[in-house]
Amino acid sequence: EVQLLESGGDLVQPGGSLRLSCEASGFTFTNYVMSWVRQAPGKGLEWVSAITGSGGDTYYADSVKGRFTVSRDNSKNTLYLQMNSLRADDTAVFYCTKASGSTRPYYFDYWGQGTLVTVSS
Amino acid sequence: EIVVTQSPGTLSLSPGERATLSCRASQSVSSNYVAWYQQKPGQAPRLLIYGASTRATGIPDRFSGSGSGTDFTLTISRLEPEDFAVYFCQQYGNSRTFGQGTKVEIK
């Protein structure tokens, strides 16, 4: 059974930093692209970032480029999202998602339960 | 960027009725790379449909997807009580963008 367990969400001040983690199990982690998708309160879904199975290639939405860094530790089956220079409009539930394959194009076939990031003073 | 627009914003129906949800892309989606997700309050989205018309594992056959090019549809043939939720479509042929969602509520 595929399981994705996020952690690290918290209340942080504008300009602050936070690192999210996602522990994966139930599949061969290195074989799949992994992504972060976020959802602001009461809003829709926004793809944030993706990383290939080897970790060699990373991709970002324009809204977070230069501020967020995605990485993975395949020895620990864990995905990370380092978020710097956080803004109020980054407030959202962040979902860890497993992609359907190892390369584009892919959809998201499994989602974690989400972790809430609140950016406020 | 491909903009995805869903309509209607809210669909008010009764259990047993048919639901038809629309998803329109601002440009043609290559190879019909469209997925549909269901989200219930307080839960993560769940994959329903990919490739515009292929049901994901374990999804009941009352859910069906169709369409091509820029226009796609999710149909729920007979609404069950557990189907009242928000539905998102997503194109993944050119990066990946989501629609804003359609809420299916009990009339």
Side-chain angles (χ1 to χ4, degrees):
Chain A
E1 178 193 5
V2 172
Q3 292 194 338
L4 302 169
L5 186 60
E6 302 99 333
S7 61
D10 205 347
L11 170 64
V12 60
Q13 292 190 338
S17 297
L18 207 57
R19 188 176 86 153
L20 306 183
S21 301
C22 170
E23 292 185 39
S25 61
F27 63 101
T28 305
F29 188 63
T30 55
N31 286 358
Y32 294 92
V33 170
M34 296 295 292
S35 273
W36 291 96
V37 175
R38 67 182 178 182
Q39 185 171 35
K43 301 297 184 182
L45 301 167
E46 179 189 19
W47 170 77
V48 172
S49 182
I51 185 168
T52 54
S54 67
D57 293 295
T58 57
Y59 306 89
Y60 301 93
D62 288 343
S63 58
V64 307
K65 202 171 292 182
R67 300 187 300 123
F68 290 11
T69 302
V70 63
S71 62
R72 63 194 294 163
D73 184 338
N74 287 343
S75 69
K76 296 181 179 180
N77 284 4
T78 300
L79 174 72
Y80 302 99
L81 186 67
Q82 176 67 42
M83 303 184 294
N84 299 330
S85 303
L86 282 161
R87 311 185 301 222
D89 62 359
D90 293 317
T91 295
V93 173
F94 282 73
Y95 294 103
C96 168
T97 69
K98 172 187 168 293
S100 53
S102 58
T103 61
R104 290 175 290 180
Y106 53 81
Y107 50 90
F108 306 117
D109 54 3
Y110 290 94
W111 298 60
Q113 86 290 347
T115 188
L116 176 62
V117 174
T118 303
V119 184
S120 175
S121 54
Chain B
E1 175 184 285
I2 297 179
V3 176
V4 177
T5 303
Q6 291 185 242
S7 61
T10 302
L11 202 49
S12 299
L13 295 168
S14 300
E17 289 193 294
R18 181 184 189 91
T20 303
L21 287 66
S22 175
C23 174
R24 176 164 291 177
S26 60
Q27 53 187 279
S28 185
V29 179
S30 58
S31 301
N32 296 334
Y33 289 137
V34 168
W36 289 90
Y37 303 87
Q38 176 194 66
Q39 187 178 35
K40 297 179 181 180
Q43 295 185 18
R46 176 177 72 144
L47 175 68
L48 296 176
I49 300 283
Y50 61 92
S53 61
T54 303
R55 277 188 300 276
T57 303
I59 301 303
D61 61 7
R62 64 180 180 273
F63 290 92
S64 63
S66 63
S68 63
T70 61
D71 292 306
F72 299 88
T73 300
L74 175 70
T75 302
I76 310 171
S77 60
R78 292 174 311 279
L79 282 164
E80 297 287 340
E82 62 269 27
D83 299 337
F84 292 92
V86 179
Y87 293 83
F88 294 96
C89 67
Q90 177 215 356
Q91 69 79 22
Y92 54 99
N94 182 334
S95 187
R96 47 222 67 84
T97 47
F98 293 91
Q100 79 280 17
T102 290
K103 181 180 182 180
V104 179
E105 65 175 23
I106 299 177
K107 186 175 181 180

